[in-house]
């Protein structure tokens, strides 16, 4: 018979009668309870002669538990230290909380070098916090963003499951540039030479500093994916409806609050559809479900509290989140967030064609917001200032049927291809059956289209975009062997989280943000 070592047996017996519980569960328990064990991090500590107090949180909620400690135990603790507390949950004699944890034993699990810790209990700007992404999540409101991400993923998974969609995992390393912009990261092994080279998949041209060819790990150039769409189209034609939430990469040298080099895209494809409204209805219902679920959740209530004036000003309360993020005036208020969630719940977003959107912009009454730097025309496209005005005046809005010249090769034309006269083309250039969804503050959130499913027409579109030799033969095969009318969309998942949480920069809803010139950790 195997016998446990005395030390192991003693450890298990000494803890056997304590019930491990997280802070969120404990705070929801109004009745007193004995033999409670809580593990977490000290947010603040107060020491008195006869007693000590510590606010302890574990990330399960925005709030913290007030622990009543022996003075000698409190003397050993500092803000940021990891602790395990064993005691009883009792009615509090204080006014700021209904219950508190009367601690019997305190175990210091991890000491904190408080003096040199770069994460200090004071206001620190978002820009500074981005330089310490490995520590930034410890701020309660950033932990809240992690839980928001998890909550929305669970909601989306449940939504698509009940809609009959099959979740798929598409490759991160690909052979093609889906968008045709050439802004891709080239994949190579550490032994590849030369290390200083670039490749454009849209022109199939190697552009090294010398004529020496790199040693490609996959024999031919491969890239980090910019979209899962093309592979999802292949999978959809096996099971009808598919979706994925995957990392995507763009080698854009953009330094704006709306762009990252690595981000997550929610993408879906469905077969047997010939109506663009099917796609827009799906996006609307998806966002409506996310907003409804969030608003009805405890997490939603915590987000609103974190953005409320009461929470922002309660810097003296040990039972609420009072970190630096709550003092950031750039964050959306609780009222603004409630309005945003309500707009998503309402659905039925206006749907304007590109031509109607231009008319709306061109006929806007003169004001400082309509004094556009770039005049809205067919050829210039919709600039950020145009999208901002549209969302300010219309709220969430779908813009459909963009000019063919502005969009990728795979989008289905709005009508049968023809050869328009120069006069006709000047008045109304050919368009495609696509949409962009614009939201206030973040502007473009999602984009989708019906796909060109006809073999000959796809070949012609590739030639017109100078992509005939871009390694898309496999994609053309999908049209040769039993293709059907189909469509899909992509939605910027991190942008959605920023919109829901009222965070203005997408860099602050991603745990470890990467953008041009920056990629700490």
């Amino acid at each position: 018979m195997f016998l446990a070592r005395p030390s192991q047996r003693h450890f298990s017996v000494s803890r056997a009668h304590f019930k491990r519980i997280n802070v969120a569960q404990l705070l929801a328990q109004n009745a007193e309870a004995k033999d409670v064990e809580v593990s977490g991090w000290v947010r603040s500590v107060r020491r008195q002669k006869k007693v000590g107090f510590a606010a302890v949180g574990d990330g399960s909620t925005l709030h913290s538990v007030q622990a009543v400690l022996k003075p000698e135990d409190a003397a050993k603790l500092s803000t940021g230290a990891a602790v395990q507390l064993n005691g009883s949950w009792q009615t509090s004699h204080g006014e700021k909380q209904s219950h508190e944890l009367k601690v019997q034993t305190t175990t210091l699990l991890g000491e904190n070098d408080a003096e040199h810790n770069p994460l200090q209990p004071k206001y620190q700007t978002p820009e500074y916090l981005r330089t310490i992404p490995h520590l930034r999540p410890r701020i309660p409101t950033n932990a809240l963003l992690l839980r928001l991400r998890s909550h929305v993923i669970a909601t989306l998974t449940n939504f698509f499951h009940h809609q009959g969609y099959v979740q798929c995992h598409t490759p991160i390393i690909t052979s093609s540039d889906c968008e045709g912009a050439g802004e891709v990261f080239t994949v190579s092994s550490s032994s590849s030479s030369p290390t200083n080279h670039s490749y454009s998949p849209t022109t199939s041209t190697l552009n090294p500093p010398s004529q020496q060819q790199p040693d490609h790990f996959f024999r031919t150039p491969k890239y980090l994916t910019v979209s899962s769409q093309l592979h999802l189209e292949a999978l959809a034609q096996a099971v009808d409806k598919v979706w994925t939430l995957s990392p995507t990469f763009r080698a854009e040298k953009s330094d704006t609050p709306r762009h990252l080099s690595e981000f997550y895209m929610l993408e879906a494809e469905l077969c047997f559809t010939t109506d663009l409204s099917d796609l827009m209805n799906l996006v609307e219902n998806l966002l409506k479900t996310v907003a409804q679920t969030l608003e009805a959740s405890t997490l939603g209530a915590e987000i609103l509290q974190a953005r409320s004036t009461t929470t922002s000003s309660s810097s003296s309360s040990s039972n609420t989140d009072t970190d630096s993020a709550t003092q950031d005036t750039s964050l959306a208020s609780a009222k603004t967030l409630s309005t945003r969630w309500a707009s998503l719940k309402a659905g039925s977003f206006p749907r304007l064609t590109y031509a109607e959107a231009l008319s709306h912009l061109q006929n806007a009454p003169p004001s400082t917001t309509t004094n556009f730097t770039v005049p809205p025309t067919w050829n210039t496209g919709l600039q950020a200032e145009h999208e901002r005005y549209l969302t300010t005046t219309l709220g969430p809005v779908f813009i459909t049927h963009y000019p063919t010249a502005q969009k990728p090769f795979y989008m289905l034309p709005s009508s049968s291809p023809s050869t328009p006269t120069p006069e006709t083309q000047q008045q109304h250039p050919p368009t495609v059956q696509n949409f962009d969804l614009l939201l206030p503050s973040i502007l473009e959130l999602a984009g989708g289209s019906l796909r060109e499913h006809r073999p000959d027409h796809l070949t012609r579109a590739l030639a017109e975009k100078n992509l005939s030799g871009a390694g898309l033969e496999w994609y053309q095969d999908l049209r040769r062997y039993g293709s059907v009318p189909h469509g899909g969309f992509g939605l910027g998942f991190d942008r959605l989280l920023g919109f829901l949480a009222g965070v203005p920069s997408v860099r602050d809803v991603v745990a470890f943000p990467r953008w041009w010139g920056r990629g700490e950790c």
Side-chain angles (χ1 to χ4, degrees):
M1 175 183 291
F2 172 78
L3 295 177
R5 288 181 295 179
S7 59
Q8 292 178 315
R9 185 165 59 246
H10 178 267
F11 180 77
S12 62
V13 170
S14 64
R15 293 186 54 198
H17 62 289
F18 285 100
K19 179 183 178 182
R20 173 74 182 277
I21 186 170
N22 67 36
V23 171
Q25 294 169 330
L26 188 59
L27 290 175
Q29 184 170 313
N30 293 321
E32 294 189 351
K34 296 181 179 180
D35 304 327
V36 171
E37 178 181 292
V38 173
S39 298
W41 294 267
V42 177
R43 293 187 184 173
S44 65
V45 59
R46 291 182 292 128
R47 303 175 185 89
Q48 299 178 5
K49 286 185 178 181
K50 296 183 179 181
V51 70
F53 299 94
V56 177
D58 63 359
S60 63
T61 175
L62 190 65
H63 300 282
S64 57
V65 163
Q66 174 164 285
V68 183
L69 307 167
K70 300 172 185 176
E72 59 270 24
D73 290 337
K76 301 175 184 177
L77 302 183
S78 64
T79 301
V83 294
Q84 181 184 92
L85 307 176
N86 299 100
S88 57
W89 186 237
Q90 299 181 359
T91 301
S92 175
H93 297 293
E95 298 179 354
K96 295 180 179 179
Q97 61 280 321
S98 63
H99 290 72
E100 58 192 9
L101 184 65
K102 180 72 173 181
V103 178
Q104 298 172 15
T105 60
T106 301
T107 304
L108 182 61
L109 301 177
E111 295 184 1
N112 173 51
D113 183 0
E115 183 179 353
H116 298 96
N117 192 330
L119 200 61
Q120 293 292 322
K122 63 179 182 180
Y123 175 72
Q124 292 167 315
T125 66
E127 291 76 17
Y128 169 73
L129 293 174
R130 291 173 200 145
T131 67
I132 49 171
H134 57 300
L135 299 176
R136 185 177 65 165
R138 299 187 186 190
I139 293 178
T141 48
N142 284 334
L144 190 65
L145 292 176
L146 292 179
R147 290 193 287 125
L148 172 63
R149 177 179 289 267
S150 178
H151 175 91
V152 175
I153 290 174
T155 300
L156 294 171
T157 302
N158 188 59
F159 171 84
F160 280 112
H161 176 72
H162 284 93
Q163 294 286 327
Y165 281 72
V166 177
Q167 184 177 16
C168 300
H169 295 137
T170 52
I172 291 177
I173 299 175
T174 70
S175 59
S176 58
D177 173 10
C178 176
E179 299 297 326
E183 296 167 334
V184 295
F185 290 101
T186 303
V187 176
S188 62
S189 67
S190 59
S191 60
S192 294
S193 177
T195 58
N196 183 21
H197 67 270
S198 62
Y199 184 88
S200 172
T202 59
T203 60
S204 300
T205 303
L206 187 66
N207 300 303
S210 66
Q211 296 303 312
Q212 183 180 0
Q213 291 282 348
D215 180 17
H216 294 298
F217 184 85
F218 296 102
R219 293 186 297 176
T220 58
K222 296 294 181 286
Y223 320 98
L224 295 182
T225 183
V226 299
S227 171
S228 298
Q229 178 200 317
L230 303 189
H231 292 95
L232 281 179
E233 288 189 57
L235 301 177
Q237 297 193 42
V239 291
D240 183 11
K241 298 187 290 188
V242 296
W243 78 284
T244 190
L245 181 61
S246 304
T248 52
F249 306 85
R250 301 285 171 87
E252 293 178 282
K253 293 185 178 180
S254 299
D255 191 12
T256 77
R258 299 172 55 240
H259 294 90
L260 289 171
S261 296
E262 176 186 353
F263 54 96
Y264 270 72
M265 285 283 288
L266 166 67
E267 299 181 78
E269 291 288 326
L270 60 154
C271 291
F272 309 106
T273 180
T274 58
D275 192 340
L276 194 61
S277 295
D278 292 342
L279 301 175
M280 291 186 284
N281 292 341
L282 178 62
V283 173
E284 267 189 353
N285 291 334
L286 181 153
L287 294 176
K288 183 184 299 184
T289 300
V290 168
Q292 289 175 337
T293 306
L294 179 59
E295 188 178 63
S297 68
T298 303
L299 177 67
E302 287 191 65
I303 292 173
L304 293 179
Q305 182 179 8
R307 299 292 179 259
S308 68
T309 303
T310 302
T311 302
S312 298
S313 62
S314 61
S315 58
S316 61
S317 173
S318 63
N319 221 29
T320 57
D321 168 33
T322 60
D323 57 71
S324 60
T326 59
Q327 302 178 44
D328 188 349
T329 56
S330 66
L331 300 174
S333 67
K335 182 178 179 181
T336 298
L337 285 189
S338 295
T339 301
R340 289 183 181 183
W341 298 356
S343 69
L344 296 185
K345 282 176 55 182
S348 301
F349 307 146
R351 300 178 180 184
L352 277 66
T353 65
Y354 184 86
E356 291 169 337
L358 286 181
S359 178
H360 183 80
L361 292 165
Q362 292 166 350
N363 295 324
S367 70
T368 55
T369 58
T370 57
N371 185 22
F372 301 121
T373 303
V374 178
T377 66
W378 274 96
N379 295 328
T380 57
L382 296 182
Q383 306 297 311
E385 58 180 341
H386 305 146
E387 295 177 344
R388 191 170 293 110
Y389 178 78
L390 290 170
T391 57
T392 300
T393 56
L394 301 172
V397 57
F398 285 107
I399 308 299
T400 68
H401 299 86
Y402 281 69
T404 303
Q406 297 180 19
K407 292 300 177 180
F409 66 91
Y410 51 74
M411 293 187 177
L412 186 69
S414 298
S415 58
S416 299
S418 59
T419 306
T421 63
E423 293 77 14
T424 303
Q425 193 168 21
Q426 181 66 27
Q427 294 174 0
H428 198 292
T431 62
V432 289
Q433 297 195 52
N434 81 304
F435 71 84
D436 280 352
L437 173 60
L438 311 179
L439 295 188
S441 177
I442 64 171
L443 306 182
E444 183 185 351
L445 174 68
S449 73
L450 297 180
R451 315 306 192 192
E452 179 55 86
H453 60 280
R454 300 163 297 181
D456 295 342
H457 294 78
L458 178 61
T459 300
R460 184 185 307 135
L462 286 168
E464 291 173 351
K465 299 287 186 179
N466 297 318
L467 294 172
S468 297
L472 290 168
E473 291 78 14
W474 68 271
Y475 186 72
Q476 292 176 276
D477 279 351
L478 301 179
R479 274 63 180 168
R480 297 188 183 102
Y481 308 127
S483 179
V484 299
H486 62 285
F489 70 89
L491 181 150
F493 184 66
D494 301 304
R495 287 188 182 181
L496 174 60
L497 295 181
F499 182 78
L500 294 172
V503 177
S505 175
V506 71
R507 299 168 184 172
D508 297 325
V509 298
V510 176
F512 297 94
R514 280 87 168 86
W515 71 96
W516 179 40
R518 297 291 293 273
E520 283 78 4
C521 292

